[in-house]
Amino acid sequence: MTQTMFTEPEERVALREAVKKLASKYGREYVEKQAREGGKMTDMWLEMGRNGFLGVNIPEEYGGGGGGMADLAAVLEESAAAGAPLLMMVVSPAICGSIITRCGTEEQKQRWLPAIADGTHLMAFGITEADAGSNSHQITTTATRDGDHWVISGQKTFISGVDEAQSVLIVSRTEDAKTGKLKPALFVVPTDAEGFTKQPIPMSWQAPEKQFTLFLDNVRVPVDALVGDEDGGLWQLFAGLNPERIMGGAFSCGIARYALEKATSYAKERSVWKDQPIGAHQGIAHPLAKVKIELEQARLLWQKAAALYDAGDDFTAGEYANMAKYAGGEVACNATDVAVHTHGGNGLTQEYGLGNMLVAARLGRIAPVSREMILNFVAMHSLGLPKSY
């Protein structure tokens, strides 16, 4: 009888330890200082890149670590658990790196992947549009062929990190595909291109990574800016969107781990009644224990989703990536809420840093796809129920 071990490979365990050590050197204080002063995570980002952590999923022949999405998600989870989450890991190596690896030409792989892997080229991702919301089939950003160039026009919104990116992978549709089913065309657009402008969106939480509305006014890019086939179909897009959901789940799990660790430590030290710490009371202990269980469930889901993606089973990976993203968003919200409550009034002070996390964790329920759309997906594809929208 063979025994199935629910443990990660030794190499990934060692990777986690190395990332934890580096990320802990920066920690929450560094992130908050950068957010407060308008700084970026650049120093940590580049050090992570120099150590090979940002490109673990990119093939070795293009400067990466030759690992999979499970390795990259573990890196992100550990950095978030150390209080220094790197949101742009979801975008640059996971979405853009995966799409270029799977859909790009040899020249595009040689050109983009080594710099994405070492962190010296940060590539943002532009899909969301104000009028389309979660319905990517309503994308109106259009690319028109003009000789040796494509001309792109349209708008994008809630695009992360454009102010620190050198380029954006823009999701558009070709001019002759405005009607009927979406055939996404993906273009690498330099952020300094003529006709490309950005406008920051003020958000309710403090973070070094900012959100932007993008305006593309007849932006001209060369023919080789097109990644993949202009008629390649939705699979090209989902080569990046499944990793996005897996990474979103891991990101949220890391935030939940950080919040739970802070709350548990506080509950062991804080005494109010008698000589017992507050963690001895079930009113404090049970919510923390519940979060721990939810957290381990969510971690198993993203690990399964990543294993399926790395095995090349895109459809099943999509099913589990959506569930992993849902579970991660839920536990991040629950963990930060319980952590704030465990700390009492201290939970909402700047000193403890949990109030800001409470708002930031909420993002995991909304983006990159709402939990309601995930429930729609699971109802249709996992349960075979009729389409509801």
Side-chain angles (χ1 to χ4, degrees):
M1 180 178 173
T2 56
Q3 185 179 16
T4 302
M5 298 295 290
F6 283 89
T7 54
E8 292 183 312
E10 286 182 21
E11 294 85 353
R12 194 176 307 146
V13 174
L15 174 66
R16 284 182 178 276
E17 285 300 315
V19 172
K20 179 181 178 181
K21 184 177 179 182
L22 192 158
S24 297
K25 188 173 78 173
Y26 291 88
R28 178 179 69 86
E29 292 77 12
Y30 170 78
V31 177
E32 289 182 351
K33 181 176 185 292
Q34 299 307 104
R36 193 169 54 247
E37 298 176 0
K40 302 298 173 191
M41 301 289 286
T42 309
D43 289 346
M44 180 180 169
W45 179 266
L46 291 175
E47 187 171 354
M48 292 277 282
R50 285 193 299 272
N51 281 272
F53 299 148
L54 296 181
V56 291
N57 64 310
I58 289 173
E60 289 183 65
E61 59 265 37
Y62 304 112
M69 197 50 54
D71 299 306
L72 190 69
V75 171
L76 180 58
E77 189 191 79
E78 289 303 323
S79 69
L86 289 170
L87 176 63
M88 298 310 291
M89 279 189 67
V90 178
V91 181
S92 194
I95 302 176
C96 301
S98 295
I99 290 174
I100 292 169
T101 296
R102 292 185 62 176
C103 310
T105 64
E106 181 62 27
E107 190 277 332
Q108 287 171 336
K109 294 175 189 178
Q110 296 281 1
R111 181 180 178 188
W112 300 114
L113 293 179
I116 288 175
D118 69 16
T120 55
H121 188 102
L122 200 158
M123 190 177 290
F125 181 66
I127 181 170
T128 306
E129 296 185 2
D131 293 332
S134 294
N135 187 359
S136 57
H137 293 274
Q138 295 297 318
I139 284 174
T140 58
T141 297
T142 305
T144 308
R145 183 71 181 262
D146 182 19
D148 292 336
H149 289 82
W150 287 93
V151 181
I152 306 171
S153 291
Q155 292 183 21
K156 299 290 180 181
T157 193
F158 292 115
I159 311 304
S160 303
V162 184
D163 55 338
E164 49 189 311
Q166 288 77 39
S167 63
V168 185
L169 185 61
I170 293 287
V171 181
S172 67
R173 58 169 79 223
T174 49
E175 190 175 37
D176 59 354
K178 281 186 179 178
T179 57
K181 292 184 177 179
L182 172 66
K183 289 184 178 177
L186 308 165
F187 296 89
V188 177
V189 178
T191 50
D192 61 357
E194 188 175 347
F196 181 101
T197 55
K198 61 185 184 294
Q199 182 176 314
I201 304 171
M203 304 301 288
S204 290
W205 73 91
Q206 281 195 328
E209 302 89 0
K210 305 304 179 189
Q211 303 295 314
F212 292 88
T213 298
L214 306 183
F215 303 92
L216 296 98
D217 184 14
N218 292 320
V219 174
R220 297 179 70 85
V221 294
V223 167
D224 64 2
L226 173 71
V227 177
D229 189 337
E230 63 184 276
D231 295 314
L234 280 170
W235 82 268
Q236 297 181 144
L237 188 54
F238 279 93
L241 294 188
N242 284 340
E244 179 184 44
R245 284 151 175 66
I246 293 165
M247 292 289 279
F251 184 90
S252 291
C253 284
I255 288 176
R257 280 175 56 193
Y258 178 88
L260 182 60
E261 192 277 324
K262 292 299 176 188
T264 304
S265 296
Y266 190 83
K268 290 174 182 175
E269 297 164 1
R270 172 78 165 154
S271 291
V272 178
W273 308 108
K274 303 179 182 177
D275 294 324
Q276 287 183 317
I278 59 173
H281 308 308
Q282 291 178 348
I284 296 293
H286 283 185
L288 294 171
K290 183 169 178 283
V291 164
K292 173 63 175 173
I293 293 169
E294 293 171 354
L295 173 59
E296 294 308 323
Q297 291 171 331
R299 294 183 76 200
L300 283 171
L301 269 174
W302 81 244
Q303 288 172 330
K304 180 167 183 174
L308 288 162
Y309 181 84
D310 291 337
D313 186 351
D314 283 347
F315 184 81
T316 315
E319 181 182 19
Y320 279 89
N322 273 287
M323 290 193 283
K325 188 265 172 193
Y326 178 98
E330 293 300 298
V331 74
C333 287
N334 294 345
T336 50
D337 184 61
V338 169
V340 166
H341 204 67
T342 300
H343 283 75
N346 284 334
L348 294 176
T349 63
Q350 287 188 0
E351 178 187 354
Y352 285 85
L354 292 168
N356 190 50
M357 282 186 67
L358 190 66
V359 182
R362 194 63 179 72
L363 180 66
R365 282 178 169 165
I366 299 167
V369 61
S370 72
R371 61 180 176 175
E372 288 73 25
M373 286 306 297
I374 290 175
L375 292 173
N376 283 336
F377 181 95
V378 171
M380 281 176 57
H381 296 287
S382 303
L383 303 178
L385 295 171
K387 189 173 181 177
S388 61
Y389 59 96

